[in-house]
Amino acid sequence: MQISQGHEASMVTGQAVTFSLAEGDKIHVLHPQQIVAYRGSGTGRNDRLMNISGMYRKHKLIKSEISGPCQFVTALPPGFSMKSIKLEKESDLLYDFRHLFFYSEGIQMQTKILKVKNMLITRDAIKMKFSGNGVIGILTQGQVCEQELHPTAPLYVDASSVIAYPENAKLELTVYGNHLASQHMNYHWKMTGRGTVLFQAGRENRKLESDINNDEGLFKRILREVLPFGNVLIK
């Protein structure tokens, strides 16, 4: 299987991804409505109902099973891109199922239940652990970054930007910095352990654009930034 990605995704044009499957290749596409062109036998695509957990996690009813030989093109919406990740047997990364775009035949999934405190704050109950030999495709907003974890020196990552982290990692939801900084940031994962964490760098793009294009008065902006919960109380 070969995957060819067009120009980098942008907030204006999005991105096209071309899949070329050889004889014997088979992948499962969880967003089949994004397939905009297909070349191959009509019998090479079989749409099926997802299982109940898949319907709940993806808010989708249908997935497509596509077998080679064939070629097809998927279109991603503006601001999104896709990163393909080749898995090995020793992989121990946990992913948010909502980011999953496709997976190849031979990939197994296992659910991991989060702690109750983390469920309440992140509004997420489970993570998915993928194993086996194959490829998965992850949808991201902006560039994908990768950082090594350290057993004792913590890495702080915006909780809404995390894509995957090692199963062995120790996680704590927190904020950091002084009092003013901690009031004006999202919850972060404080991470220690071994392995790498993947996170998306474009999650806050729209907020930055709004801040740059915002022409409200200086006094009002100061009040919103300085007062506790100013962003909520002052519109």
Side-chain angles (χ1 to χ4, degrees), residues 152-187:
T152 57
L155 174 70
Y156 296 87
V157 184
D158 187 310
S160 64
S161 297
V162 173
I163 299 171
Y165 56 85
E167 185 177 13
N168 70 80
K170 182 180 178 182
L171 279 69
E172 178 185 347
L173 275 171
T174 185
V175 290
Y176 65 92
N178 64 4
H179 182 67
L180 186 59
S182 63
Q183 280 187 340
H184 294 274
M185 68 169 62
N186 298 327
Y187 274 106

Side-chain angles (χ1 to χ4, degrees), residues 59-80:
H59 302 288
K60 301 288 182 183
L61 295 177
I62 303 294
K63 70 173 183 176
S64 288
E65 297 178 356
I66 301 182
S67 304
C70 69
Q71 184 181 77
F72 65 96
V73 179
T74 61
L76 303 184
F80 284 82

Side-chain angles (χ1 to χ4, degrees), residues 71-87:
Q71 184 181 77
F72 65 96
V73 179
T74 61
L76 303 184
F80 284 82
S81 60
M82 191 201 73
K83 180 178 178 62
S84 57
I85 300 173
K86 183 174 177 57
L87 297 182

